[in-house]
Amino acid sequence: MPLRRLSALLGTAVLVLTPALSGCSQGAAGPPGSAPDSPDSSPTGPDSAQQARRHLSEMSLEEKIGQLMVLLPQGTTAEENADLVSTYNPGGLIYFPENLTGPEQIARLSNGLQEAAADSGAGVPLFLGIDQEQGTVARLPVGTHFPDAMAVGATRDTAHAEALAGATAAELTALGVNLDYAPVADVNTDPDNPVIGIRSFGSDPGLVSKMATAEAAAFSEGGVVPVVKHFPGHGDTDVDSHTGLPVIDKPREEWEKEDLPPFRAAVEADVDAIMTAHVLIPALDDSGEPSTLSPDVIGGILRDELGYDGIVTTDALNMEGVRQTHSDGEVAVRAVLAGADQLLMPPDPQAAFDALRTAVREGRISTERLDRSVLRILTAKVERGLFDAEPVGAASAAEAVGTRKHRAAARDLAEDAATLLRNEDGVLPLSEGATVSVTGSGAEEIGAGLEELGYTVTADPAAADAAVVGTTGAEQHSRVAAAEATGTPVVVVAQGSPYGIAGLGSAEGYLATYSAVGASQAAAARVLAGEVSPSGKLPVGIPGTGLGFGDGLSY
């Protein structure tokens, strides 16, 4: 339990001796994860705890189990989900693009779902969540589109992290969304990582810690529950846990140095929720189970050693990384036994519900253990004011998203993130009034920006004074080679991972924006033209290039 919360509850001084993480946990009685089972230790103040306990006392076994589940809604209306809510009384729902069409519809959906929850079971309000990290992972079809986390890392300025999260929180709350599965606290140390990459703030644990906690705090201040992810770290993988189980074979000491710091910082910041990763790190648990199902990782390290007593949610349970050795129902049971409180997107909700109920009835999951998780969830809902929340204004929702202020914040972030990594023969900034060919990813947006600044834009590199080629991945390097073959000086605008520079040939210029959102493409045009001097610094090192963390050129 975080010390500030424990001290506030007990009203006494608390002295804790923090053990070295590579050793055994001191002061935690019983097996890993046993301490949090006590329903008498509350993570909050007396008033909130009392209200949460009152709700808990009025709930049936089935209603308690429902609070552990975060399910996928169907369709775009609350009416389509009435049976889902009344059947399971879920703790939350998670939105995806297929559920969302516009501001008014999203707000009405949120209002209707909360009304259905209030009329069902124990009347517990829903966590309505979404993956709105910004950049690559952004589910909303409306609102402000900020660059990816790696762009934030490139600025080195936590004010940008706070602006991104603050604006996102304002837009989410206007739509009735009260939880965001963000920020990403993974330290991206594998250049070939297929699932994290630019979703990470960078490869430096200190930088990631600083940015992740800044975003989490701004989300929280904006009325949105942040979910820091993916513990114990998904940044050093070359397998996507959506399709397989990544194995991270590194010593525990190396994990503590590289991957742990952002999560330790999140615990010390008392974040509301932390998400687990479907990864296997033998140095932390040699059982062969992914971390999501590991009592050693969740109960032992996160709960006992780090002292975290907030909500632990699993990553999506429909991912292959967690479904390889157990049935879907057994996965749900094992995740709870490992220390998780909420089960995100069980692929078969009925199987998960039935397995959990059987496990409690047979004593495999104790009533105390179940109550502890439900109490965490209820306490967070009380503290966030969900029980007293009024419906959001559906008619006015559109006015709150994509505001001029929010778009300006996205623009400023994108411009400060732009990182110039190569500028041979002074190819940049582009000569005033030059003819520029623009092809590849973002060509239309970058070209339009250059035209507004007085450049003649063509699609033919051979007819241009300079050739700009937009890329989002190594598969587009053939476009770069084709432009180089014309003999025209080439400038690459990398809108994905900056690691791609290692596979390029003789392109004279290389500008990294770390994102393919419109704000980043507009910023690229302004940097190419010299309207903005590049000031971003690499948030990662790039093997084989001589480019290291912190590198970056300017005009």
Side-chain angles (χ1 to χ4, degrees):
M1 176 180 296
L3 299 187
R4 291 187 291 279
R5 291 180 175 177
L6 185 59
S7 299
L9 174 63
L10 299 181
T12 59
V14 178
L15 176 63
V16 173
L17 300 178
T18 304
L21 274 175
S22 53
C24 296
S25 175
Q26 301 175 23
S34 61
D37 281 354
S38 170
D40 296 324
S41 58
S42 171
T44 185
D47 293 341
S48 296
Q50 184 177 5
Q51 185 176 347
R53 289 181 186 283
R54 184 171 66 251
H55 287 296
L56 180 69
S57 69
E58 297 170 352
M59 296 174 70
S60 68
L61 171 61
E62 287 75 16
E63 290 165 351
K64 292 177 183 178
I65 290 172
Q67 287 301 300
L68 307 187
M69 302 172 66
V70 178
L71 305 179
L72 284 166
Q74 305 300 310
T76 59
T77 67
E79 290 75 16
E80 293 172 275
N81 293 279
D83 289 343
L84 181 74
V85 174
S86 63
T87 298
Y88 295 108
N89 292 289
L93 299 174
I94 178 172
Y95 289 158
F96 277 86
E98 54 266 31
N99 308 123
L100 315 171
T101 60
E104 184 171 348
Q105 174 269 326
I106 299 170
R108 292 188 185 281
L109 173 63
S110 299
N111 288 339
L113 290 171
Q114 293 292 16
E115 183 178 356
D119 294 338
S120 299
V124 178
L126 295 160
F127 280 139
L128 293 179
I130 194 168
D131 279 312
Q132 192 71 7
E133 299 170 12
Q134 293 289 4
T136 304
V137 178
R139 311 300 189 195
L140 284 180
V142 297
T144 309
H145 298 292
F146 280 81
D148 290 79
M150 195 168 283
V152 179
T155 71
R156 301 297 197 272
D157 188 350
T158 55
H160 284 305
E162 293 164 354
L164 180 154
T168 303
E171 298 188 358
L172 291 177
T173 55
L175 301 172
V177 180
N178 52 39
L179 181 147
D180 193 357
Y181 292 99
V184 172
D186 302 309
V187 181
N188 199 82
T189 54
D190 190 334
D192 297 321
N193 195 316
V195 67
I196 302 300
I198 57 175
R199 295 169 62 195
S200 166
F201 294 106
S203 63
D204 179 75
L207 175 65
V208 175
S209 299
K210 183 171 66 172
M211 295 299 182
T213 53
E215 276 200 11
F219 275 122
S220 184
E221 290 168 7
V224 171
V225 173
V227 181
V228 178
K229 58 188 185 184
H230 311 77
F231 184 82
H234 209 315
D236 192 13
T237 64
D238 57 8
V239 173
D240 185 345
S241 54
H242 290 84
T243 58
L245 176 60
V247 178
I248 303 174
D249 193 11
K250 63 169 61 174
R252 172 153 180 164
E253 293 76 12
E254 186 177 340
W255 168 79
E256 289 183 8
K257 180 180 178 181
E258 294 183 348
D259 302 281
L260 176 60
F263 296 102
R264 188 202 299 273
V267 171
E268 292 174 350
D270 291 338
V271 296
D272 290 293
I274 292 177
M275 177 186 285
T276 65
H278 305 326
V279 299
L280 171 60
I281 306 180
L284 305 185
D285 178 1
D286 61 3
S287 68
E289 294 281 20
S291 294
T292 295
L293 307 182
S294 170
D296 288 344
V297 173
I298 301 177
I301 298 175
L302 184 55
R303 294 291 194 202
D304 293 344
E305 295 183 23
L306 294 178
Y308 184 63
D309 198 38
I311 296 170
V312 172
T313 179
T314 70
D315 203 344
L317 295 183
N318 61 0
M319 296 165 60
E320 289 305 311
V322 77
R323 302 179 71 194
Q324 298 191 355
T325 56
H326 306 291
S327 68
D328 290 333
E330 179 65 10
V331 164
V333 171
R334 286 181 178 246
V336 172
L337 289 172
D341 302 303
Q342 286 205 308
L343 311 172
L344 180 61
M345 296 164 55
D348 186 339
Q350 191 64 53
F353 184 90
D354 291 343
L356 289 166
R357 181 168 56 184
T358 298
V360 175
R361 286 176 172 173
E362 295 180 351
R364 188 177 174 196
I365 296 176
S366 69
T367 301
E368 292 78 13
R369 172 68 190 86
L370 174 64
D371 285 355
R372 183 59 191 158
S373 281
V374 178
L375 188 60
R376 287 191 184 103
I377 295 163
L378 293 175
T379 298
K381 291 180 177 182
V382 170
E383 289 188 317
R384 288 292 173 184
L386 269 62
F387 283 90
D388 303 315
E390 297 292 331
V392 296
S396 60
E399 300 173 5
V401 299
T403 66
R404 179 178 299 179
K405 179 180 178 181
H406 294 169
R407 286 184 280 113
R411 178 202 63 210
D412 292 345
L413 164 56
E415 291 182 354
D416 286 354
T419 308
L420 185 60
L421 297 178
R422 186 185 295 171
N423 192 19
E424 295 180 3
D425 301 324
V427 66
L428 294 177
L430 298 170
S431 300
E432 185 174 350
T435 297
V436 183
S437 102
V438 185
T439 58
S441 298
E444 182 176 350
E445 294 79 5
I446 296 171
L450 289 173
E451 285 182 331
E452 289 181 5
L453 294 170
Y455 291 88
T456 299
V457 174
T458 177
D460 182 7
D465 300 308
V468 173
V469 182
T471 66
T472 54
E475 69 278 1
Q476 295 173 311
H477 286 181
S478 59
R479 286 185 178 273
V480 179
E484 290 176 341
T486 67
T488 300
V490 174
V491 177
V492 174
V493 177
Q495 299 152 65
S497 161
Y499 299 109
I501 192 173
L504 289 175
S506 56
E508 284 81 1
Y510 191 97
L511 180 68
T513 66
Y514 313 98
S515 190
V517 300
S520 295
Q521 292 162 343
R526 289 174 59 80
V527 172
L528 294 173
E531 293 290 315
V532 172
S533 179
S535 60
K537 302 297 181 185
L538 261 180
V540 297
I542 303 179
T545 64
L547 292 168
F549 179 88
D551 283 348
L553 305 172
S554 61
Y555 299 149

